[in-house]
Amino acid sequence: MRDIYQQQRAMRNMRQAALQRGVVAVLDIGSSKVACFVLQFDGPGIYRETDGVGPMAGQSNFRVIGAATTRSRGVRFGEIETMAETERAIRTAVQAAQKLAGVRVDHAIACISGARPASYGLAGEIALKNGSVGQGDIAQVLGSCEVPDFGRGRQVLHAQPVNFMVDGRSGLMDPREHSGQALGCDMHVLTVDGDAIDNLIHVIRRCDMELAGVASGSYMSALSSLVEDEQELGAACIDMGGGATGVSIFVRKHMIFADAVPMGGDLVTQDVAKGLKVPMAVAERLKTLNGGVEATGRDDRDLIELGGETGDWETDRRTVSRADLIGIMRPRVEEILEEVAAILDAAGFDHMPSQQVVLTGGGSQIPGLDGLAARMLGRNVRIGRPLRIHGLPHQLTGPNFASAVGLALFAAHPQDEWWDFEMPAETYPSRSLRRAYRWFRNNW
Amino acid sequence: MQGIDHDRRPGFSPQPTPPRKGWPRPQQPAHKPKRDPAPSRFAYRLHRMWLTPYFRRLTRIGIPAFLIAFTTLLWLSDEDRRASLSGGLTGMVEAVQNRDQFMVKVMTIDGASAPVDKALRMMLPVDLPASSFDINLDQLRSDILMLDAVRDVELRIKPDGVLAAKVVERQPVLLWRHARGIEQLDETGHRVASVTERSVRPGLPLIAGEGADKVAREAIRIFAASGPLLPRMRGLQRVGERRWDMVLDRGQRIQLPANSPVAALERLIVLDQAEDMLARDISVVDLRDGSRPVARIGLGAQNEIRAARGQPLLGADGRELPKQKDKKS
């Protein structure tokens, strides 16, 4: 547990040091696009309470001064596959955003959507010595959580206490100053492959920037797409990206589960390309412009020109009906949603008080997806768009920028303030030092 | 495969068949590889460097400023160029200053007597016509005010190139005789001009003695108060820079006190009108003690008294004369 403590504190310190500089880049390195926002933090002082602007979920203290997006290269299933290609894509996006912002950015906060995330629920309990919960007790109970074996090469990405218990009173958000005999806590830990994170650090360093924080992509899109009530009452956010589909479950404003399916919109494009025998670029265009998952009678008569640049007139003048395209896309989307449903079942989403499902990400823009998802997942489903943040251009407010917007919110309001508590010094060397100090003070 | 003959029968060469002649195959037009939209690492670093505020300021302000300063100094390091530059600048300035609109052609002087007028024209530092930029009016005015005969002067450059001077001269009211000559003074005791002798200005009252000019106002008051004595007055003499002696004709002298001499003089005039004192043979009237005026009788009267008493007579120097009987015998 001690190394988690150190890691989380180190990440928190790094991010705060970056925020001190005032300008931070937010990088969403996805499988289909790389988005870069340059955030400027001007402190909380720009709006007063009398202006009628409240804290606004922490958005009032930053603004986007530069935003750019480019096609992603070298990323597959949400993980970096070709380092040099990814570096070029990041350079393109960062340079365009910097040019728009007019400032140089030295720190980046990135999110990673693949890399086999795994959620763990940890529990810990301590006895309270002086009958009430103090600052040190919280650190101690966080430290007392039993850490399972994560496996080789796994790194902890997020570790958040989601629940505190004092003497059987559960569901406390802030147990400080409570009186009781025992303090327990539940913690949610999300681990990912360490290699993926190392690759991310390396590629960002090759772009002359420093990584000031890493976050999980599914967590980030849930932060921006779920409204506050959904976060409070319980909801699942499904981020349908290009290479991976992230699932995260929120309740009581904390993420309690996150996972990812290594399937996404790229697979759908691939199916279209294979089924219609067209290049990937043409398949992508067909999917975006004419795709869908619910075939109606009119779609049979709706003929789509395939187009293409093969040089063969016969090949290039083919047409398919829209129903054919839907017939290719739908099984793959159903397969992805089945995987998602399996993950939700495994996570025990049935037992949540409210079972809202929010679809976001670029894949959620397929027409008719909400009906299909409602049938597949069997719950109330809505298509979510990310929150509006200050200064973001309109064309970057779609659901495919959910995780980038979530990263911006995360940079402004990270939910990791619990790691500020000092770890109690209970190891042998510090105790003996303290004893020696006491001996000196008593005898000299 | 088909080009090579494998069975080596005599008469056949093992050469490959020449390439088949025919129409050139339609070739795919070579697509230019699409330009990589990603900036090169060098361009990326350069762009980031350009966005660094210090570097940007240095490039946009520092280097141009340095270049300008450097070339200017390099150009100015030659003596001839510096001279031609300064010559050109002064030439330009003079060309503007010597325009007809700025030229002063005439000087008019109001209220000055002929010698003062001449002196003022002499004092003008430039020869007319001259540019008005070359005439420093403040300096010229303070120079003119240093003339004793001028009390005040007003200088103004009027349109059409006229330098107008309006002079107020000092009016002499006293003559002051001192060790170095005779001067005319105005009512404040300021020197107006010198005169060679008393008869040049017979109408002015005369004062004498060191420091008399400083108390000229008091002297004027004494002259004004002297009323009936005025025809007999020769002048006032300052004694010890402290008090006045009024000198009358026939060698009579009235010693006035240092404090309130006018009152003492008025008292003496009353006394004179009552007793007709000054018509008698009195050489000195001493009014310095206000409660007790003292009169010294003249030499003739003394000798009358001495002759009546049978004492030896006194000479003009105040010594007793030898007996006349001895002289006779």
Side-chain angles (χ1 to χ4, degrees), chain A residues 133-190:
Chain A
V133 182
Q135 310 258 346
D137 293 327
I138 290 176
Q140 215 167 357
V141 75
L142 289 180
S144 74
C145 289
E146 281 186 29
V147 179
D149 184 17
F150 292 136
R152 286 186 61 188
R154 301 289 287 180
Q155 275 195 7
V156 176
L157 201 56
H158 296 287
Q160 293 166 343
V162 293
N163 187 19
F164 286 99
M165 291 158 289
V166 178
D167 281 353
R169 273 178 294 138
S170 180
L172 300 176
M173 279 289 119
D174 188 352
R176 280 177 294 179
E177 316 292 332
H178 276 245
S179 54
Q181 304 303 318
L183 173 68
C185 97
D186 292 324
M187 186 154 32
H188 172 237
V189 173
L190 186 70

Side-chain angles (χ1 to χ4, degrees), chain A residues 367-382:
Chain A
L369 182 70
D370 46 349
L372 179 66
R375 266 204 302 286
M376 302 274 312
L377 305 174
R379 281 140 195 144
N380 39 0
V381 172
R382 73 174 181 93

Side-chain angles (χ1 to χ4, degrees), chain A residues 73 87-88 91-92 94-95 98 102-106 206-209, chain B residues 28 31 36-41 43-45 47-49 51-52 56:
Chain A
R73 301 150 70 181
E87 183 200 337
R88 286 195 193 110
R91 274 207 310 249
T92 315
V94 168
Q95 176 163 6
Q98 275 181 348
V103 292
R104 171 191 172 138
V105 190
D106 288 328
R206 278 174 60 148
C207 292
D208 297 340
M209 292 196 289
Chain B
Q28 193 83 18
H31 278 293
D36 192 352
S40 69
R41 189 173 287 183
Y44 176 74
R45 289 205 174 135
H47 184 241
R48 281 171 67 81
M49 203 157 80
L51 287 177
T52 312
R56 200 176 176 128

Side-chain angles (χ1 to χ4, degrees), chain B residues 97-112:
Chain B
Q97 289 185 350
N98 290 339
R99 283 173 66 88
D100 193 37
Q101 287 84 350
F102 294 128
M103 294 302 276
V104 173
K105 299 184 196 86
V106 191
M107 185 176 187
T108 61
I109 296 173
D110 275 352

Side-chain angles (χ1 to χ4, degrees), chain B:
Chain B
M1 278 298 271
Q2 44 185 296
I4 299 172
D5 192 4
H6 282 285
D7 46 359
R8 302 172 164 245
R9 282 175 293 169
F12 288 93
S13 69
Q15 300 267 333
T17 50
R20 188 159 55 104
K21 298 258 171 53
W23 297 104
R25 292 190 179 176
Q27 283 194 343
Q28 193 83 18
H31 278 293
K32 261 190 188 170
K34 271 189 184 170
R35 199 181 61 82
D36 192 352
S40 69
R41 189 173 287 183
F42 180 71
Y44 176 74
R45 289 205 174 135
L46 213 62
H47 184 241
R48 281 171 67 81
M49 203 157 80
W50 176 240
L51 287 177
T52 312
Y54 284 115
F55 180 80
R56 200 176 176 128
R57 222 170 294 153
L58 183 77
T59 325
R60 296 176 64 166
I61 299 167
I63 290 179
F66 171 75
L67 281 181
I68 290 172
F70 184 75
T71 46
T72 312
L73 289 179
L74 204 68
W75 192 78
L76 283 181
S77 62
D78 189 20
E79 181 69 38
D80 295 343
R81 291 199 196 116
R82 270 205 304 267
S84 73
L85 180 70
S86 61
L89 283 180
T90 49
M92 261 158 59
V93 169
E94 277 183 359
V96 172
Q97 289 185 350
N98 290 339
R99 283 173 66 88
D100 193 37
Q101 287 84 350
F102 294 128
M103 294 302 276
V104 173
K105 299 184 196 86
V106 191
M107 185 176 187
T108 61
I109 296 173
D110 275 352
S113 55
V116 172
D117 186 301
K118 195 178 168 195
L120 251 56
R121 289 183 196 281
M122 295 280 285
M123 285 179 81
L124 201 63
V126 291
D127 293 334
L128 296 179
S131 167
S132 61
F133 285 92
D134 294 337
I135 302 174
N136 186 353
L137 288 185
D138 287 336
Q139 179 67 37
L140 184 61
R141 181 172 184 270
S142 59
D143 283 350
I144 291 173
L145 285 182
M146 284 166 78
L147 288 180
D148 287 327
V150 177
R151 194 171 69 193
D152 195 14
V153 64
E154 192 178 302
L155 288 175
R156 174 181 301 173
I157 292 178
K158 288 181 178 172
D160 298 332
V162 177
L163 175 62
K166 205 178 192 181
V167 180
V168 180
E169 286 197 5
R170 291 183 195 278
Q171 295 302 324
V173 293
L174 287 175
L175 280 184
W176 177 38
R177 186 202 296 273
H178 52 86
R180 297 171 298 279
I182 305 176
E183 285 176 355
Q184 305 179 20
L185 301 183
D186 71 345
E187 67 275 7
T188 60
H190 197 282
R191 179 185 175 276
V192 176
S194 299
V195 290
T196 48
E197 54 183 1
R198 172 76 176 94
S199 58
V200 174
R201 301 296 297 263
L204 293 181
L206 182 77
I207 58 176
E210 286 298 318
D213 55 334
K214 294 177 190 123
V215 283
R217 287 178 189 280
E218 201 180 39
I220 292 169
R221 276 204 305 277
I222 292 171
F223 278 116
S226 59
L229 295 182
L230 199 56
R232 291 191 55 202
M233 259 180 86
R234 298 275 306 278
L236 285 175
Q237 187 176 12
R238 190 73 173 163
V239 178
E241 298 194 30
R242 186 170 59 85
R243 61 174 194 85
W244 291 103
D245 268 5
M246 182 184 270
V247 181
L248 305 183
D249 56 357
R250 291 197 279 118
Q252 279 184 338
R253 184 174 283 265
I254 298 168
Q255 294 177 334
L256 295 173
N259 294 326
S260 59
V262 176
L265 181 63
E266 281 169 351
R267 228 165 28 237
L268 174 74
I269 290 169
V270 171
L271 202 61
D272 176 41
Q273 284 170 346
E275 308 265 343
D276 197 17
M277 190 173 77
L278 293 178
R280 302 163 192 248
D281 188 6
I282 288 176
S283 64
V284 175
V285 181
D286 186 356
L287 297 174
R288 286 176 292 179
D289 189 352
S291 60
R292 194 179 54 139
V294 178
R296 189 191 301 166
I297 52 178
L299 194 63
Q302 279 188 38
N303 281 343
E304 292 272 330
I305 295 170
R306 290 185 85 97
R309 286 179 183 166
Q311 289 170 328
L313 299 182
L314 294 176
D317 55 353
R319 295 213 184 132
E320 288 186 356
L321 293 173
K323 296 280 186 182
Q324 286 179 346
K325 288 172 186 172
D326 296 353
K327 215 178 182 179
K328 281 178 187 170
S329 60

